Amino acid sequence: SPPITIDPSHTALLIVDMQNAYCHTEGASRKQGLNMGPCKAIIPRIRELLEMSRRKGIPALFTRQE
């Protein structure tokens, strides 16, 4: 299949719920006994994606549950 082309002027990166409550080893999810392995494993990849989007001028949007 052909490569995907992303136009930075029509693109944004949306990062959902990367909060301490969900992703920190001392957060609420861990205190409830949830497995933090998958969340911890994805953090470096999200950082890479965020850094790449910033280099390309793509805005990043973060959601937060309140």
Side-chain angles (χ1 to χ4, degrees), residues 14-20 22 61-66:
L14 178 61
I15 299 175
V16 179
D17 289 341
M18 292 302 298
Q19 297 171 229
N20 285 337
Y22 300 114
L61 308 170
F62 297 83
T63 66
R64 180 175 64 183
Q65 180 181 357
E66 291 193 29

